[in-house]
Amino acid sequence: MALILQNVALCNNTYKMTVSMPTSSDLGVSGQFYMIKVSPEHSCDPLLSRPISIFDTDESNHTVTFLYMVVGRGTELMSRMKQGDELTLTGPLGHGYPHFDTDVTLIGGGVGAAPLYLFAKEHKALYPQRKILMHIGFRNENEVLLTDDFAALCNGVKLNVGGYVTDDVDFESSSLFYTCGTMPMMAAAAKHASAHKKTLYVSLDTHMACGVGACLVCTCKTQDGTKKRACKDGPVFEASQVYDAEKGCFYE
Amino acid sequence: MQNPVIAASGTFGFGAEYAEFFDVKKLGGISGKGLTLQGSQGNSGMRIHETPAGIMNSIGLENPGVRHFVEIESKKMREYSPCISIANLGGHSEHDYTEGARMLNDADIDILELNISCPNVKCGGMAYGILPETAADITRKVKAVTRHPLMVKLSPNAHDIQAVAKAVEDAGADAVSLVNTFLGLAIDTARKAPVFNNINAGVSGPCIMPIALCMVHKVCKSVKIPVVGLGGIRTADDALQFIMAGATAVQVGTSTFADPYAMLKIIDGLEKYCTEQGLSNISQVRGII
């Protein structure tokens, strides 16, 4: 159980929800997610919780913040929740983005860039001398957000509106890349990273039922032919593990 | 069994995932993920779709195979004792079932649950559970080779589930569990195509409970062996309804996805009911309807 401190629209269909967590709980790291129950208590419609990744955490106030776009019934119900409501959630779940002592380039697609914000915050705290370059893309002007948040943490923020954010990225500029956004956008990033022989971390966006590794709804094939569960073994994977460079798509 | 609440096959892995959330030793039992002889990567394409108060799934028995279960998972499941261990065995052919059952003789389990009701595999699976003759035939053949008590998991898609239950009882089944998922269809109108690559998928969750309960009630009237009831159970009251309808135990599946602690809440609720009603055992209200 968590208490909703804030649930506000940022723009268009994008909302920001901050919840107060029990003080004993681990809040999680970038790339991890929570399963959020979107239907009212005792209601089972919709039945399944929604996986929402962590946008930010605040250890001193013990809060977790989520950024989400209303795309269907579940997120629509979530957007109607009010400050002071209790929220049932499970998490943090999954494996997040790993950090290495090096300069990094981040590639975010729209609201999907949310986990990269916490990543940048963690990276700056861990390796203050390292450079962080952020590329972020939006479909149109009305959807643009987060640019100031990233500017406060990164050494540079490049914005793309209406085009392909991956086209702006110089894949020779750095050795380590991180991406989060739509699957086609991440596939494009994986294609470029593979061509330039660079390491890229992706966070798979798949349907989930349980979020804890039991239902096998979210499994994906990997390079060695074995299957991995996006929720439990991921959602963050090294791109070459889950992206088939020959076929130009993620392994199904 | 320390209580009548069992984790349903395919919704609980082999226990380890939920052991991170609660003490799974408190459960009555765990029916492990459905096994096939060689293992399987499961179905491609979309695997889940929500319905009002329910879900449709098309996992297609993705599993590590019987040998892996015998060597690794069954041993881990044993660590949850006194929670009982159930191996769920599916198959595409008679050979798959009998050979799988033979291999499972090497596993330290309490019950073998024979899955003749999975709607998500192309050949075999549910086909064995539709007619009484084929269900009885595969039950007899597996019973002949297994050293474990045999529970047959029935399909609600059977032409006559009472007749199938009676037939597998006569063929030597020690118990039956019902129901597996209902065959359903969802269409993506934007794509003008079925949601699932296999076209049909299995419907489960609270939306199926009244129909499942009706089937359990009927089957309890027609067989003498224990009946394990399942289908959309979410609360202690739901479980109680199945018990009053005649079920010896219940299985909980889909509801665990929605709430990892659902089964613990059901166990607590049943205990509370017994206390309130002055019952020494929940079985005192079994089959009263």
Side-chain angles (χ1 to χ4, degrees), chain A residues 50 216 221 227 229 232, chain B residues 17 20 41 47 50:
Chain A
R50 297 296 187 267
L216 309 184
K221 276 208 188 93
K227 287 203 125 181
R229 299 159 298 180
K232 182 79 179 173
Chain B
E17 289 78 14
E20 292 180 22
Q41 299 223 326
R47 288 183 163 193
E50 275 187 296

Side-chain angles (χ1 to χ4, degrees), chain B residues 133-184:
Chain B
E133 299 76 28
T134 48
D137 187 51
I138 200 75
T139 300
R140 200 174 295 113
K141 282 170 178 152
V142 170
K143 182 68 187 172
V145 299
T146 186
R147 70 177 180 91
H148 302 297
L150 182 65
M151 175 160 79
V152 181
K153 187 168 183 179
L154 307 182
S155 170
N157 306 301
H159 293 175
D160 177 351
I161 198 167
Q162 264 179 299
V164 173
K166 192 79 190 71
V168 301
E169 178 184 43
D170 292 343
D174 300 293
V176 286
S177 51
L178 62 146
V179 298
N180 204 320
T181 55
F182 285 80
L183 208 55

Side-chain angles (χ1 to χ4, degrees), chain A residues 37 42-50 90-91 93 207-210 212-219 221 225-227 229 232 252, chain B residues 10-13 17-18 20-21 33 41 43-48 50-55 59 62 197 205-206 234 254 257-258 260:
Chain A
K37 179 170 164 59
H42 303 305
S43 166
C44 47
D45 187 24
L47 191 71
L48 301 176
S49 297
R50 297 296 187 267
T90 306
L93 300 168
H207 286 269
M208 294 177 187
C210 71
V212 303
C215 70
L216 309 184
V217 161
C218 66
T219 60
K221 276 208 188 93
T226 61
K227 287 203 125 181
R229 299 159 298 180
K232 182 79 179 173
E252 202 184 90
Chain B
T11 64
F12 211 72
E17 289 78 14
Y18 285 101
E20 292 180 22
F21 290 87
K33 173 68 192 173
Q41 299 223 326
N43 292 340
S44 62
M46 184 62 82
R47 288 183 163 193
I48 190 90
E50 275 187 296
T51 71
I55 58 172
I59 308 297
E62 177 173 340
N197 284 1
R234 191 172 63 97
T254 303
F257 294 159

Side-chain angles (χ1 to χ4, degrees), chain B residues 187-193:
Chain B
I187 295 169
D188 182 340
T189 53
R191 285 197 304 123
K192 297 189 175 76

Side-chain angles (χ1 to χ4, degrees), chain B residues 10 15 20 24 28 53 58 71 78 121 131 139 142 152 161 165 169 171 173 190 205 218 222 224 247 258 276 282:
Chain B
E20 292 180 22
V24 297
S58 181
E71 288 168 4
R78 249 313 163 235
V121 288
L131 293 171
T139 300
V142 170
V152 181
I161 198 167
E169 178 184 43
K218 281 183 184 168
S222 58
K224 293 185 184 67
E276 282 168 5
I282 197 76

